[in-house]
Amino acid sequence: MLEDHFNTKVIVEGKLGVHARVAAQIAREAQKYACKVTIRHNHKEADAKSILDILCLAAGQGSTLEFDAMGIDSDKVIKNLTQIFVE
């Protein structure tokens, strides 16, 4: 059985980068879904369901983050995580 697999890239536009509030938003959204969600930045990978993992990426303004989701509802979680960066 093939699992659904979706990914996207976003650019961090906020001048504070991915700070605690943004990391919490990402983790809360990712935790709503059973699929595995990871974030990559500068050759580092983080579990998108972990605030600490996200903060350890140290993604500042202008950084490119790559979200990758595999499993049930992976398309939905990618869509919703992308929305965090356009608001």
Side-chain angles (χ1 to χ4, degrees):
M1 178 175 122
L2 293 175
E3 291 192 52
D4 290 340
H5 183 234
F6 290 86
N7 61 29
T8 192
K9 291 182 181 180
V10 297
I11 296 175
V12 178
E13 294 183 5
K15 66 180 175 180
L16 297 176
V18 178
H19 52 84
R21 189 177 319 126
V22 176
Q25 283 180 287
I26 293 167
R28 253 193 320 273
E29 189 60 40
Q31 290 167 4
K32 293 178 184 177
Y33 300 91
C35 60
K36 180 180 178 177
V37 187
T38 57
I39 308 170
R40 281 189 288 286
H41 170 63
N42 284 347
H43 308 291
K44 293 187 270 183
E45 188 172 291
D47 178 353
K49 297 179 182 186
S50 167
I51 295 171
L52 286 177
D53 275 9
I54 297 166
L55 290 173
C56 286
L57 292 175
Q61 183 180 32
S63 297
T64 299
L65 300 178
E66 184 177 351
F67 287 94
D68 192 72
M70 184 174 286
I72 298 170
D73 291 333
S74 55
D75 58 333
K76 292 178 186 172
V77 71
I78 290 294
K79 178 184 171 212
N80 293 340
L81 288 172
T82 302
Q83 287 300 310
I84 292 171
F85 292 91
V86 294
E87 295 176 346

